[in-house]
Amino acid sequence: MARLALAALCLLPALANAETVRSEDGTLNPPELSLDAIEDNIARGHADMMTCAQGYYITKSGRHALARRLFELCADAGWTGAMTWMGQMDNNGLAGDYDPDAATEWDRRAAEAGDPVGQFNLGLALIRGHGVAQDVDAGRRLVDEAAATGLPIAQRMVESGYDPEEVTPDADNWKYGPRF
């Protein structure tokens, strides 16, 4: 049995370099974890867990336009983590305009689907009145819901008396003043 396992390990490099073969019966050796595969999945409108999870690495590598296309596809397919990433991208102007209203809308969708990060983000936006009309009480309720799931940042905010400074550094304060 050990020899069979060793033989299989020796074949992995050869299999990894095998060409993708497409036919009417399907695809043999698809490039599953590559940027080409992501582009292909976006073009086909295919949003599965592995595809959507790669958006994190794509945006962290600075490929924001590709990440935006991927996250939008995944968010539209119901992946709440992609919704909160779209909110983060809109709130920071990554591969698009700085748009706090759009960011809050993405977080609202995630929160309504029960995502704790969406609940926290929307709660924080409501407390600040950023991208949405200010409603401190509603914001606190959402932060409480997120904290009850065990989300550490929400728990920190509750423990601080709902102080936004506890969870976002002053480097972002320029965003939260009045917009004229």
Side-chain angles (χ1 to χ4, degrees):
M1 189 61 131
R3 285 186 180 160
L4 183 58
L6 182 58
L9 284 174
C10 291
L11 286 175
L12 285 178
L15 292 174
N17 292 324
E19 281 191 44
T20 299
V21 178
R22 297 180 193 276
S23 74
E24 62 188 43
D25 296 324
T27 303
L28 178 64
N29 195 38
E32 297 170 308
L33 298 175
S34 69
L35 291 177
D36 289 340
I38 296 298
E39 292 276 6
D40 186 52
N41 285 344
I42 292 170
R44 293 183 303 118
H46 179 76
D48 63 17
M49 181 180 69
M50 289 302 294
T51 298
C52 295
Q54 290 181 69
Y56 173 82
Y57 298 105
I58 292 169
T59 196
K60 287 298 189 176
S61 73
R63 295 177 176 100
H64 302 300
L66 177 59
R68 178 176 283 277
R69 290 182 18 242
L70 176 59
F71 285 139
E72 192 162 20
L73 169 72
C74 294
D76 288 343
W79 295 92
T80 60
M83 293 173 196
T84 61
W85 269 103
M86 284 297 297
Q88 190 267 355
M89 294 185 83
D90 283 336
N91 201 34
N92 290 288
L94 301 175
D97 293 334
Y98 164 66
D99 190 342
D101 298 339
T104 301
E105 178 59 20
W106 284 114
D107 288 324
R108 182 197 60 77
R109 285 178 60 186
E112 287 178 357
D115 185 275
V117 174
Q119 293 167 337
F120 171 76
N121 288 348
L122 180 57
L124 183 58
L126 284 162
I127 289 168
R128 282 194 166 119
H130 184 70
V132 65
Q134 188 174 33
D135 186 338
V136 174
D137 291 335
R140 286 180 175 187
R141 283 192 300 273
L142 281 166
V143 171
D144 287 341
E145 286 180 37
T149 70
L151 188 67
I153 195 167
Q155 291 172 335
R156 260 187 30 226
M157 188 166 184
V158 170
E159 290 167 7
S160 76
Y162 304 93
D163 180 6
E165 290 291 321
E166 175 64 26
V167 295
T168 54
D170 59 2
D172 289 340
N173 281 345
W174 66 270
K175 291 182 183 181
Y176 310 122
R179 294 189 307 164
F180 301 97

